[in-house]
């Protein structure tokens, strides 16, 4: 029987550690960690994601500061807010909830975030350090995937790992993190020729293409590990919707050694890593003990 990599369970276990860490250290720091989330406009999905982050913060004892800006704000006003938060001593981490309107220069906004507070790990300085394999804030979804693999002692070093997708949010940073952990990584994308054949060679196959049910069992080597990053809401009948990933799980599960479910696999780990990054910034600011360092790839 194949092994389910249960991201929901692992994220609850990690949250318990984070909660205890804050309890023990908040008297030294004299305040709880603080996370600022900036949301622009009324995109409903962004509203749900921000709400989930807020709830996760309150479960472990991080104070969240939500800035919900109207979509009439301009680039300068958002930059001013970011600069203000950069200087705010109560804020350890900050993030801009994406996607935002095309009228903004998104990369320039992210560049404005102090790299030490860039809990999404998207600032050029943090990406540069990732390329150089130096410690820095790492992006949350890739870091969550590595923790999921490690939690079941799934070896990364020396393994052939195929990543489907080359986005700045998932595919690229994930490929670099795995490379830094001595895997042999192949990064594939929408223009890759012979995707099926390349995937079939993978010991670990990671699908982050954003295409529902793209990967069936014909892409997967017998006994491989499959990680499904994709998340899609599909209409199952007139009134109901259901979530699925990039992997046609019912077809793939009988063939693999381990897999992540959707929902309950990679998704919960992403939010948990945001908490880890915020606490790690707090830890550095106050010179607190480094007992959470094993969670950072
Ligand atoms: P993206 O659209 O920015 O990037 C998709 C990548 O996949 C691109 O590099 C593209 O070249 C590649 N691609 C597209 N179609 C392909 C195909 N047919 N074959 C091979 N490669 C193909 O998306 P993203 O932000 O990287 O997110 C990918 C998926 O992961 C989405 O479904 C997104 O919702 C999901 N996601 C989930 C989490 C989570 O926490 N679970 C976090 C981030 C993203």
């Amino acid at each position: 029987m194949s092994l389910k990599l249960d991201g929901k369970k692992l994220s609850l276990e990690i949250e318990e550690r984070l909660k205890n860490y804050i309890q023990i250290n908040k008297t030294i720091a004299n305040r709880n960690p603080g996370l600022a989330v900036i949301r622009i406009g009324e995109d409903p999905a962004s509203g749900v994601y921000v709400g989930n982050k807020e709830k996760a913060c309150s479960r472990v004892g991080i104070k969240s500061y939500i800035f919900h800006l109207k979509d009439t704000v301009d680039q300068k006003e958002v930059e001013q807010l970011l600069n203000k938060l950069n200087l705010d001593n109560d804020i350890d981490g900050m993030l801009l909830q994406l996607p935002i309107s095309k009228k903004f220069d998104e990369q320039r906004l992210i560049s404005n975030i102090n790299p030490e507070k860039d809990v999404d790990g998207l600032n050029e300085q943090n990406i540069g350090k990732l390329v150089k394999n130096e410690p820095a804030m790492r992006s949350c979804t890739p870091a969550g995937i590595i923790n999921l693999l490690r939690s079941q002692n799934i070896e990364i070093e020396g393994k052939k790992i195929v990543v489907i997708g080359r986005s700045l949010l998932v595919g690229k940073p994930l490929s670099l993190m795995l490379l830094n952990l001595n895997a042999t990584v192949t990064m594939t994308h929408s223009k890759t020729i012979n995707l099926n054949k390349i995937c079939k060679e993978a010991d670990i196959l990671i699908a982050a293409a954003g295409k529902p049910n793209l990967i069936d069992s014909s892409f997967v080597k017998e006994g491989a590990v499959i990680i499904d990053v994709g998340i899609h809401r599909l209409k199952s009948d007139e009134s109901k919707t259901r979530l699925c990933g990039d992997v046609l799980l019912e077809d793939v599960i009988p063939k693999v050694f381990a897999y992540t479910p959707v929902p309950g696999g990679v998704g919960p780990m992403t939010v948990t890593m945001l908490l880890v990054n915020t606490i790690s910034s707090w830890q550095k600011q106050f010179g607190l003990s480094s007992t959470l360092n094993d969670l950072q790839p």
Side-chain angles (χ1 to χ4, degrees):
M1 206 164 91
S2 30
L3 172 70
K4 178 164 94 171
L5 300 172
D6 190 337
K8 179 105 192 92
K9 182 162 168 274
L10 180 61
S11 71
L12 291 174
E13 285 166 18
I14 295 175
E15 276 189 14
E16 204 49 41
R17 275 181 72 188
L18 301 180
K19 201 161 120 185
N20 291 335
Y21 184 87
I22 293 174
Q23 272 300 330
I24 292 165
N25 287 289
K26 70 180 181 192
T27 44
I28 305 170
N30 212 14
R31 67 163 176 82
N32 288 41
L35 172 69
V37 178
I38 298 135
R39 177 185 170 202
I40 309 174
E42 299 306 322
D43 173 42
S46 289
V48 173
Y49 290 133
V50 170
N52 288 343
K53 288 170 187 176
E54 201 177 0
K55 280 185 217 144
C57 281
S58 86
R59 286 198 296 272
V60 300
I62 294 175
K63 189 165 167 33
S64 51
Y65 301 82
I66 310 295
F67 297 86
H68 187 178
L69 310 180
K70 294 205 163 52
D71 50 16
T72 49
V73 290
D74 62 21
Q75 176 92 13
K76 197 147 190 84
E77 286 170 282
V78 186
E79 282 177 16
Q80 277 166 354
L81 174 60
L82 294 173
N83 291 336
K84 193 171 129 229
L85 295 172
N86 280 338
L87 299 172
D88 188 328
N89 286 330
D90 288 335
I91 305 285
D92 302 289
M94 53 204 266
L95 69 93
L96 183 61
Q97 183 66 44
L98 301 174
I100 53 172
S101 157
K102 293 268 180 287
K103 75 172 182 175
F104 296 105
D105 181 343
E106 181 181 302
Q107 201 48 56
R108 195 168 145 186
L109 290 176
I110 290 168
S111 303
N112 258 267
I113 296 176
N114 173 353
E116 310 265 317
K117 296 189 180 189
D118 168 39
V119 280
D120 266 347
L122 295 174
N123 179 292
E124 289 97 339
Q125 193 168 314
N126 286 321
I127 291 172
K129 287 190 174 173
L130 170 62
V131 173
K132 291 169 80 182
N133 197 9
E134 289 174 6
M137 210 67 98
R138 299 288 196 240
S139 44
C140 299
T141 303
I145 291 169
I146 287 167
N147 274 305
L148 254 182
L149 292 169
R150 283 177 169 167
S151 73
Q152 294 296 331
N153 298 318
I154 293 173
E155 187 118 50
I156 294 174
E157 182 163 310
K159 295 295 170 192
K160 277 190 189 164
I161 305 187
V162 173
V163 177
I164 309 174
R166 58 174 165 184
S167 73
L168 208 51
L169 195 63
V170 187
K172 271 185 198 154
L174 176 60
S175 299
L176 286 164
M177 282 180 218
L178 294 165
L179 186 65
N180 291 342
L181 293 169
N182 298 321
T184 302
V185 183
T186 306
M187 201 186 327
T188 65
H189 49 79
S190 56
K191 305 280 186 260
T192 296
I193 293 165
N194 253 334
L195 183 68
N196 183 294
K197 185 166 173 275
I198 295 169
C199 290
K200 246 187 167 146
E201 288 177 8
D203 301 313
I204 302 175
L205 177 61
I206 306 180
K211 296 279 178 280
N213 298 329
L214 172 74
I215 302 302
D216 63 21
S217 61
S218 74
F219 286 76
V220 181
K221 182 171 85 172
E222 191 85 39
V225 173
I226 183 124
I227 305 290
D228 192 353
V229 186
I231 184 139
H232 315 280
R233 192 170 286 282
L234 293 187
K235 273 211 160 105
S236 54
D237 65 39
E238 300 228 322
S239 55
K240 287 191 189 140
T241 60
R242 67 178 181 91
L243 290 180
C244 79
D246 287 0
V247 179
L248 188 57
L249 265 186
E250 62 268 30
D251 188 41
V252 164
I253 287 175
K255 205 171 175 183
V256 294
F257 168 68
Y259 69 96
T260 55
V262 175
V266 174
M269 292 303 295
T270 298
V271 180
T272 300
M273 291 315 297
L274 180 67
L275 308 178
V276 170
N277 281 348
T278 305
I279 296 169
S280 147
S281 167
W282 183 66
Q283 174 211 319
K284 286 196 189 87
Q285 186 173 342
F286 293 100
L288 307 172
S289 74
S290 55
T291 50
L292 298 174
N293 282 7
D294 61 297
L295 296 171
Q296 277 162 333

